[in-house]
Amino acid sequence: MIPPNLKYNPHLISAPKIETDLLWNFSMLCASIALIYLIFIFYTKRKKRIFSQKAEELKKKLSPMLSEFLFLEDDATKDEKSNYLALKVELRQMLNDDFNRRILTQVLLDLRKDISGSTQDLICKLYQSLGLEDDAYQKLKSWRWQSVCEGIVELSQMKVSDAYSFICRLIKDRRSIIRKQAEIAVVTLNKDGIIYFLDNTKYSISEWQQLKLLDVLNNKTDYNPPSFKVWLTSNNNHVVLFALRLIKHYNQNDAKASVIELVKHKSNQIREAAILCIKEFNFVEALDTLKLVFWQCSITVKISILETIAHLGSENDLEFLNLIETKEANFLVRNKAVSCINSISPETIMPFKDLQESKHFNIPKDISIAEDELKAGETELFNEISTYQDANIEIQNTIESKVQTENTNTEIALQTEKNETTEDFIDLNFLPIIVKTENEEEPNRIETPENIEALNISEIEVNYEIVAVETLDTKTEPKEVVHSNDINIKAIDITSLNFLPVVVINKAEISNEKEPFEIEVDYEVILPTSKSTYTAHELQNIEVDFSLFEINSEQDQPKEFSLEEIRNCEIFYDEVKTIEDSISIHVNDIEVIDALIIQNEPIIDENEDLGISICTSDSELESETDLNFSITPFGSHNQLHDAQLEKEDSTLVEFDLPKALIQENLLTNIDFDTETRFLLNNIDELGDEREIHFLNELRHDDKYRLFIDQIELLIKNLDNVSAKDKTKDILKPFNVFEDLFQHCDLESKLILLNEVYAIGDVKDIDFLKNLISVEKGDLQKTAIHVLNHLESKVHSNNTITEPQHSQKVNEIMNACEIECSNADDIYDLNFEPTDILESVVQEEVLTNSENNFFNSFLGQLNIFSSKNK
Amino acid sequence: MKNQVLLLAEDDELFASLLSFRFKKEGYDVILCKDGKEVKEKLNNEMPDVLVCDIMMPYFSGLEILDFVRNGLKSNLPVFIISAAGNETNELSAFKLGANDFITKPINPSVLIARITRKLILT
């Protein structure tokens, strides 16, 4: 009940007055919006359904077509080929519609994902040949990022390498999603894409992106990665980090200095990557740097450094590690340091509790221990260092005495230094030193050339015999004459074959001065046969047997000699052992010069420029003047003549002729001959038919009678060449349409025939005739039509004969009232135009200009305006 | 000589069509199925010479079909499993169930045909 004194205010509880119409209107509005929305949804859904249905149908239609395209083989039947062409035309027609293009692109992209190998390549080729890439290029120009990305993906997946330059620009795009897609595409499309990317990117490269790029690189076939150390100096830290990871991935350990330096980098990520590289490539040199930077590093980097030290470090690093163990605040790092110490030197962690001192382990005096037992015992006695040290000395002494008793030339370097032994480390000095003496060498070892090759050069044994040693008053002491069959070079300790005897001729014999080409040089060279080449040092130890060295002198021989004499000079040599033809031994490399010394001072004085330098004394020999000749293949000839020496490469001895001894007239003759031969050779190599006239002149010149055969041969050759050139001109002319026809489809062929119709000429008639005989159907019909047209065109051109031309000229001349001039007056030209001619010309000019003017757009405008006026 | 019958179970119509064309070109008679149910029906009616089966299919997966062939039908029919997801589990399961080969997408059609032909020659 309401108390009577409480007044009730009805305004406070009644609802505000709202007009019903307004409510109705509002409800209607909402309903209509909902309806519109529903209609829109239904419409859109239906549209999408229709679109997808259409796409499905199109895909069904396209799939067999694509299969035909992709699996058409070279040996396909005619029906298959014709079917292929028909499909291609149909496909091209379909591609005029944007929707169809879109679906086809989608289909090809889907197929590409599922198919690999050559079929995948065919899909990419088909995509490009159908011109679908143009749509992708259009997408690249879009302002919407998703379209651009679609375009990039499409082009990169379809391997459109031409798109590389377009996509390269997008690497610097401000939108990261486009940039990332472009980076992947650039690396995919070009083998050098990674180089461009690393050079040009200014933005960060995310971890995911790095993985994607690495994946792309890994999937490349026959990929040869560039040297990534170049980018270790990049300004972009992300590039440096990525380069370090790539270096590690591709095992490029040639960037040691840069990698070590990068440990000092501010970025922890780069430091860590560099440390991983150091660990991976075992850069021991980095240990100092690692220790240096350790204290300023983060915990993760410190742990990485300790892991690396554990991997690369030695006992020298224990001090540093102990320091870390005591000073480092972080438990993880301290723990890592201990584990590092343990891995470097596990013994340091061994317990010392209950370990007794060495003195407690004395050997009882009543037990005698044999040497061998002692050795065995020593290995077991871990702490008894002093005991096994004694044993060590004993064994060494035993060996020394053994070696001495055997009285060999072998020097045995025994290590007598006592290593510092501690309780912690095992000294291996107690082990016996095993020395193989000469007598213990393999008894059946055969010194084959292969063995010699494998041997160390200082180990080769040189067997030699001294044949003759005749000393004269030389400046140096003669070499020691040694007769030995087996001498170990190691014992003699020589660096060259200087120990070989110097073979010299008595001065009394030499005084009979003799021409160098009359000296009979007999020598024997024994060389090991081997397929390998020999170095100069190896050749020092080659088995060399030299037996005789003779000088036959004739006293009154004049110093001048003719070319005939040079030709007839004889060089004798005896082949002792056949060696490989390819081996060429330079005498100055073999130190057997002694055998070739000729004591012949006067000749030397006059012939300083001789190819063969002749030593007059031992001092000269020691100075090792270079001998400019080489001994090349042995065993091919016994006697060599001059002509053979000139022509064949396999000459026995090569040397320059002594210029000073050749007569001047002979020289001039030789010069002339050489020049002529040189000239003729040049003409032979470079000349053409224009030289024939000159050659004819030479043929009739007496000076060149010696070369007449060669000249005639040249003329004949050049005649033949010019004849060939002429026949080339007669050859069938190149037809551009023929070439194009070979590689195009039916539609294109028809287009080309239209072009032939429009611009073809006589050259195309043969081609068209061939085409008619080969092709069938529409193409044949069109070709016949074009041929008829061309023939009539050519015929009409030919019918404009000279009389017609002259008739036309006469008409003009009559119009101008020009009289035909006499032959004598041909040069009496009058350039002043007559009035009539001038008027005719003016009329022509006006009509031409009027025609042009009226035909032009401006002319039509003028007519239009004049009509309006 | 009668052509070998190959049952190709693949839900991707485009890919199936492409493979089917290639198999036909090699002289096989191809039966195309889009899902596992259809494959089972076909296998119950007629046993092909080879079964090439995708692992991911509606109704019954490739592995289920393989199990059906080996344990349900007790057949030694050569079965080639194709998979887009070439993970270890799938591969091992397939071989455990008795698949003759396991091929991961993308597939080289020529290689697939070579494998099938070799298997058929051996059997």
Side-chain angles (χ1 to χ4, degrees), chain A residues 57 153 443 540 562 568 591 662:
Chain A
E57 280 169 20
V153 170
Q540 286 178 1
S562 66
N568 293 331
E591 293 190 358
I662 296 170

Side-chain angles (χ1 to χ4, degrees), chain A residues 186-197:
Chain A
V186 161
V187 177
T188 311
L189 287 174
N190 198 320
K191 281 189 176 177
D192 296 332
I194 186 75
I195 296 173
Y196 180 84
F197 162 62

